[in-house]
Amino acid sequence: MPTVERLGGLRVVIYPNEHRPEHVHVVGNGHEALFELHCPQGPPALRENYGFSRPELGRIGLDLAKRLARLCAEWSNIHGNP
């Protein structure tokens, strides 16, 4: 599972055998959340959450939005263009 970005102690992961729509998994501290990226314009949106608090999810969403162009490019590198 390729880690494409780090947000503090959290890993942002794109699995190579995944499906569209473009999304990332944020993993760390025994928690995981899945955010749809809504490439190319965003904003990223939470789809699933397993353990992160609301404040943590807010910070993660903002961090992903700041890195959206890079994350969309990484998704395309791994999965190809639509």
Side-chain angles (χ1 to χ4, degrees):
M1 81 181 120
T3 298
V4 296
E5 190 74 49
R6 291 202 180 267
L7 307 175
L10 305 176
R11 294 181 304 123
V12 180
V13 177
I14 298 174
Y15 294 102
N17 60 346
E18 284 276 58
H19 52 82
R20 293 191 188 279
E22 295 93 340
H23 65 279
V24 295
H25 298 259
V26 179
V27 182
N29 302 324
H31 308 310
E32 182 173 353
L34 188 150
F35 282 81
E36 290 186 14
L37 296 175
H38 298 280
C39 296
Q41 297 174 339
L46 178 67
R47 189 168 87 192
E48 298 176 27
N49 175 36
Y50 303 98
F52 287 109
S53 68
R54 281 190 165 286
E56 288 173 313
L57 292 168
R59 284 190 300 274
I60 292 167
L62 290 173
D63 286 342
L64 293 175
K66 292 175 188 173
R67 296 163 171 83
L68 183 64
R70 179 174 161 14
L71 294 171
C72 290
E74 285 293 335
W75 177 275
S76 290
N77 287 340
I78 293 169
H79 295 283
N81 291 322

